[in-house]
Amino acid sequence: MPGLRPMTAHPLRQQLNDEVHSRPSADVHAPMMVTQISVITGETGAEAEHALLRELAQEMGVEAPDAFGNHLAIDLGTDHTALHLVWERHTEFSTYAFSRRCNAAPDADIPDLGRPFSTPPLSGIPEGWRARLPGEVLVGINLLAIPGNASDIEARLPEAFGDSKCVGAGMSGGRAAAWTDFQLHEDGMSRIIVANQTLRPGRLGRLIQRLLDVETYRMMALLAFPLARDLTPDLGSIETELSTLAAETARIQNLEDEQRLLAQLSTLAARAEDLAARSHYRFSAARAYHQLVERRISELDEVKREGLQQIGTFMERRLGPAMRTCTAVADRLEAVSVRISRASSLLNPRVE
């Protein structure tokens, strides 16, 4: 067949075509443990990470591909205890997921659910390399996936979570179950346990990815919440001053009063613009991350387990109010900018 060789291809054609394959789902055979860390590196840190990943591969005795764009999946070793790394580059952060089989036999019993968390996959990565990791770690998760009956494993959750109150539910329509306490433990990591009853490796891999995504996008969305609280006093001050100026507008007597009010409105506009510039990207990103959290939770296909709060319910009650606060502050900021612009528009013709 002649193909497209005589014609000119768009320079982005291959890149855009490969984008739908950038997050291939992995087959997971329990028992398996995954450590995922999410590092905020900004929008220009990809090259430094590429170099660091090649260094890691060399230190672990394997070879990384010359070019791997925004995704890399590589085995750091050759035997059944080898680490598997999946690295993904997102807009402002990157994720490093290290996974390892807990036992040689997939049906081997794990006598203590807390024991695997003492030697997670990340402990197999050279400490010097971890120290050179660029950016700041925002999310660190250790996830243990084991085969077994959900009720039996649920009775042993204190081995891993201690006295913490867990959140959890049946997953994938009840074919698996998952629990977490949304706490940072003594190692600085959060913990998730997944009990696989009948899921095939591909389905289990997708479930694990969704659980990791929920925690990662939850934390990314919450980055906007402290900013919203910090902006609230300044925003309230601008609104109060604007109301005072609006009342004075009805009582102005001469050109000097009009010029003074217009100058004060210009100052308020500059302050409001500064707040908008500081917050617009963060609030927009929070909305997008929150939508991803809600989508991933819907894909979990949760089934209620007696005595446990579902992950979706927990997020609605804990994450939802924070996101509504961010939305309210963003709306107030937009409204005050419109009010300042309207007041200035009324004064400008009179001054001119």
Side-chain angles (χ1 to χ4, degrees), residues 23-34 73 75 84 86 99-101 145 196 199-209:
R23 299 192 77 191
S25 58
D27 290 350
V28 172
H29 299 269
M32 172 76 73
M33 191 163 191
V34 182
D75 288 319
H84 182 69
V86 177
S99 58
R100 182 178 59 200
R101 292 287 294 275
N196 181 34
L199 288 180
R200 293 182 181 275
R203 290 284 302 277
L204 180 59
R206 289 192 290 274
L207 170 61
I208 289 173
Q209 186 60 60

PDB file of all heavy atoms in Angstrom, residues 23-34 73 75 84 86 99-101 145 196 199-209:
ATOM      1  N   ARG A  23      -0.826   6.458  29.375  1.00  0.00           N
ATOM      2  CA  ARG A  23      -1.043   5.868  30.695  1.00  0.00           C
ATOM      3  C   ARG A  23      -1.556   4.436  30.552  1.00  0.00           C
ATOM      4  O   ARG A  23      -2.716   4.154  30.862  1.00  0.00           O
ATOM      5  CB  ARG A  23      -2.025   6.693  31.522  1.00  0.00           C
ATOM      6  CG  ARG A  23      -1.591   8.102  31.804  1.00  0.00           C
ATOM      7  CD  ARG A  23      -2.472   8.744  32.859  1.00  0.00           C
ATOM      8  NE  ARG A  23      -2.131   8.259  34.196  1.00  0.00           N
ATOM      9  CZ  ARG A  23      -2.877   8.481  35.282  1.00  0.00           C
ATOM     10  NH1 ARG A  23      -4.015   9.133  35.180  1.00  0.00           N
ATOM     11  NH2 ARG A  23      -2.495   8.034  36.457  1.00  0.00           N
ATOM     12  N   PRO A  24      -0.734   3.534  30.049  1.00  0.00           N
ATOM     13  CA  PRO A  24      -1.211   2.158  29.885  1.00  0.00           C
ATOM     14  C   PRO A  24      -1.489   1.523  31.243  1.00  0.00           C
ATOM     15  O   PRO A  24      -0.731   1.714  32.204  1.00  0.00           O
ATOM     16  CB  PRO A  24      -0.038   1.466  29.176  1.00  0.00           C
ATOM     17  CG  PRO A  24       1.156   2.282  29.547  1.00  0.00           C
ATOM     18  CD  PRO A  24       0.678   3.686  29.680  1.00  0.00           C
ATOM     19  N   SER A  25      -2.575   0.775  31.349  1.00  0.00           N
ATOM     20  CA  SER A  25      -2.905   0.116  32.608  1.00  0.00           C
ATOM     21  C   SER A  25      -1.995  -1.091  32.794  1.00  0.00           C
ATOM     22  O   SER A  25      -1.635  -1.781  31.839  1.00  0.00           O
ATOM     23  CB  SER A  25      -4.369  -0.320  32.615  1.00  0.00           C
ATOM     24  OG  SER A  25      -4.628  -1.182  31.526  1.00  0.00           O
ATOM     25  N   ALA A  26      -1.624  -1.330  34.049  1.00  0.00           N
ATOM     26  CA  ALA A  26      -0.706  -2.420  34.359  1.00  0.00           C
ATOM     27  C   ALA A  26      -1.474  -3.602  34.944  1.00  0.00           C
ATOM     28  O   ALA A  26      -2.457  -3.422  35.666  1.00  0.00           O
ATOM     29  CB  ALA A  26       0.351  -1.946  35.350  1.00  0.00           C
ATOM     30  N   ASP A  27      -1.018  -4.803  34.633  1.00  0.00           N
ATOM     31  CA  ASP A  27      -1.556  -6.000  35.264  1.00  0.00           C
ATOM     32  C   ASP A  27      -0.913  -6.150  36.638  1.00  0.00           C
ATOM     33  O   ASP A  27       0.313  -6.083  36.764  1.00  0.00           O
ATOM     34  CB  ASP A  27      -1.259  -7.241  34.420  1.00  0.00           C
ATOM     35  CG  ASP A  27      -2.062  -7.273  33.138  1.00  0.00           C
ATOM     36  OD1 ASP A  27      -2.977  -6.445  33.001  1.00  0.00           O
ATOM     37  OD2 ASP A  27      -1.768  -8.121  32.279  1.00  0.00           O
ATOM     38  N   VAL A  28      -1.726  -6.320  37.656  1.00  0.00           N
ATOM     39  CA  VAL A  28      -1.222  -6.444  39.024  1.00  0.00           C
ATOM     40  C   VAL A  28      -1.586  -7.819  39.558  1.00  0.00           C
ATOM     41  O   VAL A  28      -2.763  -8.203  39.553  1.00  0.00           O
ATOM     42  CB  VAL A  28      -1.797  -5.345  39.943  1.00  0.00           C
ATOM     43  CG1 VAL A  28      -1.420  -5.617  41.393  1.00  0.00           C
ATOM     44  CG2 VAL A  28      -1.295  -3.978  39.507  1.00  0.00           C
ATOM     45  N   HIS A  29      -0.584  -8.553  40.000  1.00  0.00           N
ATOM     46  CA  HIS A  29      -0.782  -9.864  40.602  1.00  0.00           C
ATOM     47  C   HIS A  29      -0.514  -9.738  42.095  1.00  0.00           C
ATOM     48  O   HIS A  29       0.629  -9.565  42.521  1.00  0.00           O
ATOM     49  CB  HIS A  29       0.156 -10.902  39.971  1.00  0.00           C
ATOM     50  CG  HIS A  29      -0.059 -11.086  38.497  1.00  0.00           C
ATOM     51  ND1 HIS A  29      -0.931 -12.020  37.982  1.00  0.00           N
ATOM     52  CD2 HIS A  29       0.472 -10.433  37.428  1.00  0.00           C
ATOM     53  CE1 HIS A  29      -0.924 -11.952  36.656  1.00  0.00           C
ATOM     54  NE2 HIS A  29      -0.082 -11.002  36.296  1.00  0.00           N
ATOM     55  N   ALA A  30      -1.576  -9.812  42.906  1.00  0.00           N
ATOM     56  CA  ALA A  30      -1.422  -9.709  44.350  1.00  0.00           C
ATOM     57  C   ALA A  30      -0.813 -11.008  44.899  1.00  0.00           C
ATOM     58  O   ALA A  30      -1.053 -12.080  44.334  1.00  0.00           O
ATOM     59  CB  ALA A  30      -2.772  -9.433  44.996  1.00  0.00           C
ATOM     60  N   PRO A  31       0.000 -10.925  45.978  1.00  0.00           N
ATOM     61  CA  PRO A  31       0.271  -9.745  46.796  1.00  0.00           C
ATOM     62  C   PRO A  31       1.330  -8.834  46.159  1.00  0.00           C
ATOM     63  O   PRO A  31       2.364  -9.306  45.684  1.00  0.00           O
ATOM     64  CB  PRO A  31       0.760 -10.337  48.104  1.00  0.00           C
ATOM     65  CG  PRO A  31       1.368 -11.645  47.723  1.00  0.00           C
ATOM     66  CD  PRO A  31       0.569 -12.155  46.569  1.00  0.00           C
ATOM     67  N   MET A  32       1.036  -7.577  46.172  1.00  0.00           N
ATOM     68  CA  MET A  32       1.892  -6.568  45.561  1.00  0.00           C
ATOM     69  C   MET A  32       1.880  -5.325  46.440  1.00  0.00           C
ATOM     70  O   MET A  32       0.868  -5.008  47.066  1.00  0.00           O
ATOM     71  CB  MET A  32       1.357  -6.226  44.164  1.00  0.00           C
ATOM     72  CG  MET A  32       2.037  -5.056  43.464  1.00  0.00           C
ATOM     73  SD  MET A  32       3.645  -5.487  42.797  1.00  0.00           S
ATOM     74  CE  MET A  32       3.140  -6.493  41.394  1.00  0.00           C
ATOM     75  N   MET A  33       3.007  -4.626  46.492  1.00  0.00           N
ATOM     76  CA  MET A  33       3.057  -3.366  47.217  1.00  0.00           C
ATOM     77  C   MET A  33       3.557  -2.279  46.289  1.00  0.00           C
ATOM     78  O   MET A  33       4.468  -2.497  45.480  1.00  0.00           O
ATOM     79  CB  MET A  33       3.956  -3.452  48.444  1.00  0.00           C
ATOM     80  CG  MET A  33       3.814  -2.238  49.352  1.00  0.00           C
ATOM     81  SD  MET A  33       4.472  -2.521  50.994  1.00  0.00           S
ATOM     82  CE  MET A  33       3.836  -1.052  51.813  1.00  0.00           C
ATOM     83  N   VAL A  34       2.926  -1.110  46.403  1.00  0.00           N
ATOM     84  CA  VAL A  34       3.256   0.032  45.554  1.00  0.00           C
ATOM     85  C   VAL A  34       3.552   1.230  46.441  1.00  0.00           C
ATOM     86  O   VAL A  34       2.816   1.513  47.384  1.00  0.00           O
ATOM     87  CB  VAL A  34       2.087   0.394  44.603  1.00  0.00           C
ATOM     88  CG1 VAL A  34       2.475   1.559  43.700  1.00  0.00           C
ATOM     89  CG2 VAL A  34       1.670  -0.803  43.769  1.00  0.00           C
ATOM     90  N   ALA A  73       8.020   3.427  31.843  1.00  0.00           N
ATOM     91  CA  ALA A  73       7.793   2.212  32.625  1.00  0.00           C
ATOM     92  C   ALA A  73       9.017   1.324  32.438  1.00  0.00           C
ATOM     93  O   ALA A  73       9.392   0.998  31.301  1.00  0.00           O
ATOM     94  CB  ALA A  73       6.532   1.492  32.156  1.00  0.00           C
ATOM     95  N   ASP A  75      11.662  -1.898  34.395  1.00  0.00           N
ATOM     96  CA  ASP A  75      11.995  -2.828  35.463  1.00  0.00           C
ATOM     97  C   ASP A  75      13.398  -2.528  35.958  1.00  0.00           C
ATOM     98  O   ASP A  75      14.353  -2.483  35.173  1.00  0.00           O
ATOM     99  CB  ASP A  75      11.931  -4.274  34.963  1.00  0.00           C
ATOM    100  CG  ASP A  75      10.501  -4.735  34.735  1.00  0.00           C
ATOM    101  OD1 ASP A  75       9.638  -4.412  35.571  1.00  0.00           O
ATOM    102  OD2 ASP A  75      10.251  -5.405  33.709  1.00  0.00           O
ATOM    103  N   HIS A  84       9.591  -2.341  39.898  1.00  0.00           N
ATOM    104  CA  HIS A  84       9.066  -1.817  38.640  1.00  0.00           C
ATOM    105  C   HIS A  84       8.731  -0.351  38.865  1.00  0.00           C
ATOM    106  O   HIS A  84       8.062   0.000  39.854  1.00  0.00           O
ATOM    107  CB  HIS A  84       7.825  -2.582  38.200  1.00  0.00           C
ATOM    108  CG  HIS A  84       7.268  -2.120  36.890  1.00  0.00           C
ATOM    109  ND1 HIS A  84       7.916  -2.322  35.690  1.00  0.00           N
ATOM    110  CD2 HIS A  84       6.123  -1.430  36.576  1.00  0.00           C
ATOM    111  CE1 HIS A  84       7.197  -1.816  34.708  1.00  0.00           C
ATOM    112  NE2 HIS A  84       6.111  -1.258  35.228  1.00  0.00           N
ATOM    113  N   VAL A  86       7.062   3.203  37.339  1.00  0.00           N
ATOM    114  CA  VAL A  86       6.262   3.932  36.355  1.00  0.00           C
ATOM    115  C   VAL A  86       6.356   5.407  36.714  1.00  0.00           C
ATOM    116  O   VAL A  86       5.927   5.817  37.802  1.00  0.00           O
ATOM    117  CB  VAL A  86       4.794   3.475  36.344  1.00  0.00           C
ATOM    118  CG1 VAL A  86       3.984   4.330  35.357  1.00  0.00           C
ATOM    119  CG2 VAL A  86       4.690   2.004  35.964  1.00  0.00           C
ATOM    120  N   SER A  99       6.805  -0.445  42.417  1.00  0.00           N
ATOM    121  CA  SER A  99       6.025  -1.604  42.849  1.00  0.00           C
ATOM    122  C   SER A  99       6.915  -2.837  42.937  1.00  0.00           C
ATOM    123  O   SER A  99       7.934  -2.949  42.230  1.00  0.00           O
ATOM    124  CB  SER A  99       4.851  -1.862  41.898  1.00  0.00           C
ATOM    125  OG  SER A  99       5.310  -2.072  40.579  1.00  0.00           O
ATOM    126  N   ARG A 100       6.492  -3.767  43.809  1.00  0.00           N
ATOM    127  CA  ARG A 100       7.266  -4.984  44.018  1.00  0.00           C
ATOM    128  C   ARG A 100       6.353  -6.069  44.566  1.00  0.00           C
ATOM    129  O   ARG A 100       5.475  -5.796  45.384  1.00  0.00           O
ATOM    130  CB  ARG A 100       8.412  -4.717  44.999  1.00  0.00           C
ATOM    131  CG  ARG A 100       9.320  -5.910  45.266  1.00  0.00           C
ATOM    132  CD  ARG A 100      10.454  -5.527  46.202  1.00  0.00           C
ATOM    133  NE  ARG A 100       9.949  -5.034  47.480  1.00  0.00           N
ATOM    134  CZ  ARG A 100      10.666  -4.297  48.322  1.00  0.00           C
ATOM    135  NH1 ARG A 100      11.890  -3.932  47.997  1.00  0.00           N
ATOM    136  NH2 ARG A 100      10.142  -3.930  49.479  1.00  0.00           N
ATOM    137  N   ARG A 101       6.562  -7.290  44.123  1.00  0.00           N
ATOM    138  CA  ARG A 101       5.819  -8.425  44.672  1.00  0.00           C
ATOM    139  C   ARG A 101       6.215  -8.625  46.124  1.00  0.00           C
ATOM    140  O   ARG A 101       7.387  -8.546  46.486  1.00  0.00           O
ATOM    141  CB  ARG A 101       6.104  -9.697  43.873  1.00  0.00           C
ATOM    142  CG  ARG A 101       5.564  -9.682  42.447  1.00  0.00           C
ATOM    143  CD  ARG A 101       4.055  -9.839  42.402  1.00  0.00           C
ATOM    144  NE  ARG A 101       3.639 -11.158  42.867  1.00  0.00           N
ATOM    145  CZ  ARG A 101       3.596 -12.223  42.098  1.00  0.00           C
ATOM    146  NH1 ARG A 101       3.949 -12.160  40.832  1.00  0.00           N
ATOM    147  NH2 ARG A 101       3.192 -13.385  42.593  1.00  0.00           N
ATOM    148  N   ALA A 145      -1.648  -4.521  48.148  1.00  0.00           N
ATOM    149  CA  ALA A 145      -2.725  -5.301  47.524  1.00  0.00           C
ATOM    150  C   ALA A 145      -2.479  -6.772  47.823  1.00  0.00           C
ATOM    151  O   ALA A 145      -1.413  -7.304  47.494  1.00  0.00           O
ATOM    152  CB  ALA A 145      -2.755  -5.065  46.023  1.00  0.00           C
ATOM    153  N   ASN A 196      -8.116  -8.212  47.207  1.00  0.00           N
ATOM    154  CA  ASN A 196      -8.650  -8.663  45.924  1.00  0.00           C
ATOM    155  C   ASN A 196      -9.319 -10.018  46.094  1.00  0.00           C
ATOM    156  O   ASN A 196      -8.710 -10.979  46.544  1.00  0.00           O
ATOM    157  CB  ASN A 196      -7.521  -8.765  44.888  1.00  0.00           C
ATOM    158  CG  ASN A 196      -8.056  -9.198  43.533  1.00  0.00           C
ATOM    159  OD1 ASN A 196      -9.179  -8.852  43.157  1.00  0.00           O
ATOM    160  ND2 ASN A 196      -7.267  -9.960  42.804  1.00  0.00           N
ATOM    161  N   LEU A 199     -11.016 -10.076  41.187  1.00  0.00           N
ATOM    162  CA  LEU A 199     -10.635  -9.245  40.046  1.00  0.00           C
ATOM    163  C   LEU A 199      -9.466  -9.860  39.283  1.00  0.00           C
ATOM    164  O   LEU A 199      -8.510 -10.379  39.882  1.00  0.00           O
ATOM    165  CB  LEU A 199     -10.230  -7.843  40.513  1.00  0.00           C
ATOM    166  CG  LEU A 199     -11.332  -6.904  40.995  1.00  0.00           C
ATOM    167  CD1 LEU A 199     -10.733  -5.575  41.404  1.00  0.00           C
ATOM    168  CD2 LEU A 199     -12.382  -6.696  39.911  1.00  0.00           C
ATOM    169  N   ARG A 200      -9.535  -9.783  37.973  1.00  0.00           N
ATOM    170  CA  ARG A 200      -8.415 -10.203  37.142  1.00  0.00           C
ATOM    171  C   ARG A 200      -7.296  -9.175  37.257  1.00  0.00           C
ATOM    172  O   ARG A 200      -7.526  -8.019  37.661  1.00  0.00           O
ATOM    173  CB  ARG A 200      -8.855 -10.348  35.686  1.00  0.00           C
ATOM    174  CG  ARG A 200      -9.850 -11.488  35.466  1.00  0.00           C
ATOM    175  CD  ARG A 200     -10.216 -11.621  33.998  1.00  0.00           C
ATOM    176  NE  ARG A 200     -11.180 -12.687  33.784  1.00  0.00           N
ATOM    177  CZ  ARG A 200     -10.847 -13.965  33.622  1.00  0.00           C
ATOM    178  NH1 ARG A 200      -9.574 -14.323  33.655  1.00  0.00           N
ATOM    179  NH2 ARG A 200     -11.787 -14.873  33.432  1.00  0.00           N
ATOM    180  N   PRO A 201      -6.047  -9.529  36.903  1.00  0.00           N
ATOM    181  CA  PRO A 201      -4.913  -8.615  37.076  1.00  0.00           C
ATOM    182  C   PRO A 201      -5.102  -7.246  36.415  1.00  0.00           C
ATOM    183  O   PRO A 201      -4.724  -6.222  36.992  1.00  0.00           O
ATOM    184  CB  PRO A 201      -3.750  -9.384  36.440  1.00  0.00           C
ATOM    185  CG  PRO A 201      -4.114 -10.823  36.626  1.00  0.00           C
ATOM    186  CD  PRO A 201      -5.608 -10.872  36.466  1.00  0.00           C
ATOM    187  N   GLY A 202      -5.705  -7.208  35.226  1.00  0.00           N
ATOM    188  CA  GLY A 202      -5.907  -5.925  34.559  1.00  0.00           C
ATOM    189  C   GLY A 202      -6.872  -5.029  35.308  1.00  0.00           C
ATOM    190  O   GLY A 202      -6.642  -3.823  35.473  1.00  0.00           O
ATOM    191  N   ARG A 203      -7.984  -5.609  35.786  1.00  0.00           N
ATOM    192  CA  ARG A 203      -8.967  -4.846  36.549  1.00  0.00           C
ATOM    193  C   ARG A 203      -8.388  -4.385  37.883  1.00  0.00           C
ATOM    194  O   ARG A 203      -8.654  -3.273  38.340  1.00  0.00           O
ATOM    195  CB  ARG A 203     -10.224  -5.682  36.789  1.00  0.00           C
ATOM    196  CG  ARG A 203     -11.070  -5.934  35.549  1.00  0.00           C
ATOM    197  CD  ARG A 203     -11.867  -4.704  35.151  1.00  0.00           C
ATOM    198  NE  ARG A 203     -12.749  -4.217  36.209  1.00  0.00           N
ATOM    199  CZ  ARG A 203     -13.961  -4.696  36.462  1.00  0.00           C
ATOM    200  NH1 ARG A 203     -14.450  -5.702  35.728  1.00  0.00           N
ATOM    201  NH2 ARG A 203     -14.713  -4.180  37.420  1.00  0.00           N
ATOM    202  N   LEU A 204      -7.601  -5.256  38.512  1.00  0.00           N
ATOM    203  CA  LEU A 204      -6.970  -4.881  39.770  1.00  0.00           C
ATOM    204  C   LEU A 204      -5.993  -3.729  39.560  1.00  0.00           C
ATOM    205  O   LEU A 204      -5.926  -2.802  40.378  1.00  0.00           O
ATOM    206  CB  LEU A 204      -6.256  -6.091  40.377  1.00  0.00           C
ATOM    207  CG  LEU A 204      -5.539  -5.849  41.708  1.00  0.00           C
ATOM    208  CD1 LEU A 204      -6.504  -5.356  42.775  1.00  0.00           C
ATOM    209  CD2 LEU A 204      -4.820  -7.115  42.164  1.00  0.00           C
ATOM    210  N   GLY A 205      -5.250  -3.770  38.463  1.00  0.00           N
ATOM    211  CA  GLY A 205      -4.320  -2.679  38.159  1.00  0.00           C
ATOM    212  C   GLY A 205      -5.039  -1.360  37.981  1.00  0.00           C
ATOM    213  O   GLY A 205      -4.581  -0.308  38.464  1.00  0.00           O
ATOM    214  N   ARG A 206      -6.178  -1.370  37.300  1.00  0.00           N
ATOM    215  CA  ARG A 206      -6.944  -0.132  37.107  1.00  0.00           C
ATOM    216  C   ARG A 206      -7.522   0.372  38.424  1.00  0.00           C
ATOM    217  O   ARG A 206      -7.570   1.575  38.672  1.00  0.00           O
ATOM    218  CB  ARG A 206      -8.041  -0.362  36.064  1.00  0.00           C
ATOM    219  CG  ARG A 206      -7.503  -0.517  34.643  1.00  0.00           C
ATOM    220  CD  ARG A 206      -8.601  -0.463  33.599  1.00  0.00           C
ATOM    221  NE  ARG A 206      -9.453  -1.642  33.638  1.00  0.00           N
ATOM    222  CZ  ARG A 206      -9.191  -2.780  33.001  1.00  0.00           C
ATOM    223  NH1 ARG A 206      -8.074  -2.898  32.305  1.00  0.00           N
ATOM    224  NH2 ARG A 206     -10.022  -3.806  33.057  1.00  0.00           N
ATOM    225  N   LEU A 207      -7.969  -0.545  39.277  1.00  0.00           N
ATOM    226  CA  LEU A 207      -8.501  -0.146  40.583  1.00  0.00           C
ATOM    227  C   LEU A 207      -7.415   0.536  41.412  1.00  0.00           C
ATOM    228  O   LEU A 207      -7.648   1.590  42.022  1.00  0.00           O
ATOM    229  CB  LEU A 207      -9.042  -1.372  41.326  1.00  0.00           C
ATOM    230  CG  LEU A 207      -9.423  -1.147  42.799  1.00  0.00           C
ATOM    231  CD1 LEU A 207     -10.532  -0.112  42.922  1.00  0.00           C
ATOM    232  CD2 LEU A 207      -9.827  -2.462  43.450  1.00  0.00           C
ATOM    233  N   ILE A 208      -6.238  -0.062  41.438  1.00  0.00           N
ATOM    234  CA  ILE A 208      -5.132   0.525  42.206  1.00  0.00           C
ATOM    235  C   ILE A 208      -4.778   1.908  41.675  1.00  0.00           C
ATOM    236  O   ILE A 208      -4.560   2.854  42.452  1.00  0.00           O
ATOM    237  CB  ILE A 208      -3.918  -0.422  42.175  1.00  0.00           C
ATOM    238  CG1 ILE A 208      -4.203  -1.651  43.035  1.00  0.00           C
ATOM    239  CG2 ILE A 208      -2.651   0.288  42.630  1.00  0.00           C
ATOM    240  CD1 ILE A 208      -3.141  -2.730  42.950  1.00  0.00           C
ATOM    241  N   GLN A 209      -4.742   2.061  40.359  1.00  0.00           N
ATOM    242  CA  GLN A 209      -4.422   3.364  39.779  1.00  0.00           C
ATOM    243  C   GLN A 209      -5.462   4.410  40.171  1.00  0.00           C
ATOM    244  O   GLN A 209      -5.129   5.566  40.465  1.00  0.00           O
ATOM    245  CB  GLN A 209      -4.325   3.259  38.259  1.00  0.00           C
ATOM    246  CG  GLN A 209      -3.857   4.548  37.573  1.00  0.00           C
ATOM    247  CD  GLN A 209      -2.483   4.965  38.053  1.00  0.00           C
ATOM    248  OE1 GLN A 209      -1.499   4.221  37.902  1.00  0.00           O
ATOM    249  NE2 GLN A 209      -2.384   6.153  38.637  1.00  0.00           N
TER     250      GLN A 209
END
